[in-house]
Every structure is written in C-alpha cells, then in structure tokens.
C-alpha cells in the first residue's frame, strides 16, 4: 500500500507539471533541451561513476556480455546522448501543428491540431540512454514523463535524472516534468501500470517478458513495443558480398538490441555459394550458428531446434534455415516474426516488391540492415520506443507519436 501511495504521489506531481508545460513556448523548450544536453556532458564523471556501480553488480550476477553492452555508458555514449538531445531541440515542434482544416457550410471552422499526450510513463530495462531519450522527446512535446527503469540500471538512471531535472529547473521549466521511480520493487512497476487518471499512455521497453507483463496487467493505455525476432532473407538473386556484409552487421554490430537479426534465411539456389562466405565472416565476428539439416550439409554448425526460430537471442547466436523459395521465406517470417524489422537481399526488383508487400512488420528493408530501425537513423533525433502494434503508432516513435490531437472549432454564434 505504501508503494502505491508513493507512485500515486509521483503521478500527481507529473500531472501538475504536465499542466504547467501547456503554456511553455517552443523557444523555452528548445533552450531547456540545450541546457539538458550541456549538463549531461558537464556531469559525465558523476554519471559514469554511477554507471560503474551498475556494471559491477551486473558482472557479479553473471550478466551476458551482450546485455552488459546495453547497460554500459562511456564518455562517447554520453556525448552521443547529448548530441541526440541537441538534434531533438532542432527538430520541428509538432505541438500546435494543424493537421487538417475544414470549413463547414454553417460557417464553422474546424481545425485538427496536435497536442501533448499529457503524462507519458516508460517502463524499461537496462539501456540508461533511454532515460535521456525519453526525457528529451517528452519535453519537446510538452509531456511530463514518469520513468521506471530496471533495477540493473538504477544508479545510472538516478544520476542522469538528477542532472536533467536540475537543468530543466535552471531553464525555468518545472523539474517534475521528469520523474524517476526510484523503488526497484516490482510492486512499483505494477502500481505505475495501474495509475489511471494520472498516466495518459504507458510505453514498455525491454524483454518480451516485460512487455507481455505490461500488456496483460496495465489498466492505463499501452503502446506495445519491440520484441525483435528479425530476419534477413538472402534471395537467389542476391549479391553475395552485400548479403554477407548485411547479415554480419545486422547480427554482430550490436546483438543485444531489438533490431538485431536473429534468423538468416537463404534461398536453396544460392545456399552453397553464400553460406560458406557468411559462415566465415560471422564466426570471425564471434557469432555461433545453429542451422537446419540442409545448412548442416553445407557448413559445420550446430543443429537448430524449432524453438531457435522463435527466439530473440539478444546474443551472438544466429539461427539459419535454407528455404525453397521466396514464398517459403515469407511463410517462415509470417510464423515467427514479431512484426519488428525484416530484410531481403536481392537484385531482383520483382522479388523485392513481393517481399515488401508480403511481410507484415513495422519496418521492411530491401538491401539494407535491420539495424537501421531506430529513431536517430530515421531522422527523429531519438525514439521513445519501437512500436510493433498498428494503432496510433508503428515503428520508431518520435515526436509526432507523442502527440494526440484535438478539434478546435471556431464559430460566430452558431447553434444547433
């Protein structure tokens, strides 16, 4: 009960801050974001010291290297966080944008205008950069943000939030527009999921288990985000060098993230030429392959179980399957995909078009790595999450996805 009261108190503070943000100008928000970015870099030593505590605790628990990479901060990563924040500051402000305008026969002028959501809650794991990304996007859109990071990153998140709140206050904006749930008790997350009347939308970011827990237990509106069982399909008309380059990047560049590839599908007609080259490059990058029976006949890999094709490894492990044709590739993806990101490598325009039209995912690629499914890569400055659902938002969620809209109706005395 005490946890519930604490979370409710945070909700009340966030709601009050959200109301205060409604009168903040675009210029004030831009300046606040610039000061927040500067503060991140100025206080990097403090943030890195806090992050080191989280790293040491994770190492003691035997956390995998891929997941450690999600948790770790460096001077370069803090600089990147600050630069992302500056990019968000420079982006067009969607708040107040007129989406549509209608003149009615009775003289009414109806405008459909973007407005803030209000209070946005985020429940997430590891990746302390999410703290900064979420804060910057919410401040830009005049939303208050309630942050609930995982226990594995609690020291990092507390340090980052402290720095950002101080910068926000120094810029004349309400510091409670950024609030962190500091309790690591699971009951705190449950209370946040059920904070009706205070939270306007809840966005979970993390493992499939976390996302499923939120979807099943929340009583506030939820945008389901990104478990990423992503595929790269090598078509019979693929450029082999390009295919090898793309799969190595999609799997090994940063395996512990949701847009990393988890399964490699290879057309039977190109398998004997492609798989040895891919095997050499992938194993050199530290990737362990698990293959179907046909794959095992071509390269020396461990056998793939059925469950491997349904698994988001988030590690240096890749499932491989040789398929008869494009249709079998599409059927495999339809069965196992989580609707995140899928790619085809081919020089055949007709095959590419069939793939793009036939795959049901938030992002579908032709001759490019799935690793580009990212708010920064899409030009959004940062992202609040990658939605794998279809209502309200899909794919990387930037500023516009943090807005709803209202109808503003202008008249001159009309009555009905």
């Amino acid at each position: 009960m005490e946890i519930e009261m604490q979370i409710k108190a945070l909700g009340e503070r966030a709601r009050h801050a959200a109301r205060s943000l409604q009168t903040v100008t675009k210029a004030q928000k831009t300046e606040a974001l610039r000061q927040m970015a500067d503060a991140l870099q100025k206080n990097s030593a403090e943030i890195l010291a806090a992050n080191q505590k989280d790293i040491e605790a994770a190492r003691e628990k035997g956390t995998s290297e891929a997941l450690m990479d999600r948790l770790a901060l460096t001077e370069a990563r803090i600089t990147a966080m600050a630069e992302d924040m500056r990019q968000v500051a420079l982006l067009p402000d969607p708040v107040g944008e007129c989406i549509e305008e209608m003149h009615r026969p009775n003289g009414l002028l109806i405008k459909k205008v973007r407005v803030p959501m209000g209070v946005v809650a985020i429940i997430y794991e590891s990746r302390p950069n999410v703290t900064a990304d979420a804060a910057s996007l919410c401040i830009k859109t005049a939303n208050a943000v309630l942050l609930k990071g995982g226990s594995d990153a609690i020291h990092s998140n507390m340090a980052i939030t402290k720095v950002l709140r101080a910068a926000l206050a120094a810029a004349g904006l309400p510091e409670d527009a950024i609030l962190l749930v500091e309790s690591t008790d699971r009951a705190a997350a449950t209370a946040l999921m059920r904070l009706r009347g205070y939270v306007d939308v809840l966005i979970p970011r993390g493992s499939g288990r976390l996302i499923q827990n939120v979807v099943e237990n929340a009583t506030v509106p939820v945008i389901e985000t990104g478990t990423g069982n992503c595929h790269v399909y090598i078509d019979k008309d693929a450029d082999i060098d390009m295919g090898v380059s793309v799969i190595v990047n999609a799997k090994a560049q940063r395996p512990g993230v949701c847009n990393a590839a988890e399964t490699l599908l290879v057309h039977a007609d190109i398998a004997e030429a492609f798989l040895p080259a891919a095997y050499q490059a992938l194993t050199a990058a530290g990737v362990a392959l698990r293959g179907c029976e046909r794959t095992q006949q071509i390269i020396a890999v461990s056998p793939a179980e059925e469950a491997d094709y349904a698994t988001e490894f988030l590690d240096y492990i890749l499932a491989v399957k040789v398929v008869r044709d494009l249709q079998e590739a599409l059927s495999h993806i339809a069965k196992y995909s989580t609707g995140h990101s899928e790619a085809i490598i081919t020089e055949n325009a007709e095959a590419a078009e069939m793939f793009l039209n036939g795959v049901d995912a938030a992002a579908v690629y032709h001759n490019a790595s799935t690793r580009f499914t990212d708010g920064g890569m899409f030009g959004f400055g940062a992202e609040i999450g990658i939605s794998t659902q279809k209502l309200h938002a899909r794919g990387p969620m930037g500023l516009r996805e943090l807005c709803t809209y209202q109808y503003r109706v202008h008249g001159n005395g009309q009555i009905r």
Side-chain angles (χ1 to χ4, degrees), residues 1-296:
M1 193 65 182
E2 182 180 347
I3 288 285
E4 291 178 0
M5 295 303 294
Q6 290 174 5
I7 300 302
K8 183 179 178 182
L10 287 175
E12 290 173 344
R13 289 166 60 188
R15 177 60 67 191
H16 181 75
R19 286 196 294 268
S20 298
L21 286 173
Q22 306 313 300
T23 57
V24 171
T25 67
K26 296 180 190 297
Q28 287 176 300
K29 290 188 292 183
T30 297
E31 180 56 29
L33 286 168
R34 287 174 179 156
Q35 290 194 34
M36 288 160 62
D38 291 344
L40 281 175
Q41 290 188 278
K42 182 179 178 181
N43 294 278
S44 63
E46 177 185 342
I47 294 169
L48 289 173
N51 182 246
Q52 190 58 37
K53 294 180 182 178
D54 294 328
I55 291 292
E56 290 170 3
R59 188 170 287 117
E60 287 178 8
K61 289 193 297 184
T63 303
S64 72
E65 286 303 315
L67 293 181
M68 291 276 283
D69 179 62
R70 291 167 69 107
L71 177 62
L73 291 176
T74 62
E75 284 283 0
R77 287 187 178 180
I78 292 175
T79 297
M81 286 160 56
E83 284 304 314
D84 285 346
M85 198 167 280
R86 294 185 183 103
Q87 287 300 314
V88 170
L90 294 172
L91 291 172
D93 190 334
V95 177
E97 176 186 345
C98 184
I99 304 169
E100 189 178 358
E101 186 173 297
M102 298 164 281
H103 294 267
R104 303 299 299 145
N106 62 2
L108 288 178
L109 171 60
I110 303 174
K111 294 183 177 182
K112 187 177 182 180
V113 177
R114 294 193 201 279
V115 295
M117 286 282 187
V119 176
V120 177
I122 318 287
I123 296 179
Y124 56 108
E125 297 170 328
S126 301
R127 300 186 66 180
N129 64 294
V130 172
T131 304
D133 288 350
S136 64
L137 290 167
C138 286
I139 294 302
K140 180 75 173 186
T141 49
N143 289 297
V145 62
L146 256 173
L147 300 158
K148 174 66 178 77
S151 58
D152 53 350
I154 185 60
H155 297 99
S156 306
N157 291 334
M158 288 174 64
I160 293 169
T161 303
K162 176 185 174 183
V163 167
L164 295 180
R165 281 170 54 85
L168 202 58
L173 272 64
E175 63 180 0
D176 280 351
I178 303 172
L179 288 166
L180 176 71
V181 177
E182 296 185 1
S183 171
T184 57
D185 193 319
R186 289 187 179 182
T190 302
L192 184 57
M193 295 178 208
R194 298 175 179 173
L195 206 57
R196 289 181 64 84
Y198 298 97
V199 170
D200 293 291
V201 64
L202 171 60
I203 303 169
R205 289 187 62 169
S207 67
R209 183 188 305 174
L210 167 70
I211 293 165
Q212 194 63 30
N213 181 42
V214 171
V215 170
E216 291 178 355
N217 292 293
T219 60
V220 300
V222 174
I223 296 178
E224 188 171 351
T225 67
T227 303
N229 191 17
C230 306
H231 301 73
V232 173
Y233 166 59
I234 308 298
D235 187 50
K236 65 183 179 67
D237 296 315
D239 179 291
I240 289 178
D241 289 341
M242 179 192 295
V244 170
S245 174
V246 168
I247 189 57
V248 170
N249 178 263
K251 175 72 263 183
Q253 193 256 347
R254 200 172 180 192
V257 293
C258 60
N259 57 20
E262 304 292 10
T263 297
L264 169 64
L265 301 174
V266 183
H267 194 293
D269 290 357
I270 201 174
E272 290 190 9
F274 177 79
L275 282 173
Y279 175 81
Q280 183 177 1
L282 285 163
T283 54
V287 179
L289 280 65
R290 299 175 184 176
C292 67
E293 185 175 340
R294 179 61 181 131
T295 301
Q296 294 173 67

Side-chain angles (χ1 to χ4, degrees), residues 330-384:
L330 291 173
S331 295
H332 182 99
I333 291 169
K335 182 177 181 179
Y336 296 106
S337 172
T338 53
H340 193 294
S341 302
E342 311 293 353
I344 181 173
I345 308 302
T346 186
E347 298 302 301
N348 186 315
E350 183 178 351
E353 193 65 18
M354 286 181 64
F355 188 89
L356 296 173
N357 290 331
V359 168
D360 184 11
V364 191
Y365 292 85
H366 173 211
N367 289 348
S369 170
T370 57
R371 286 285 289 117
F372 285 103
T373 307
D374 173 85
M377 292 291 98
F378 277 26
F380 301 163
E383 69 188 34
I384 203 76

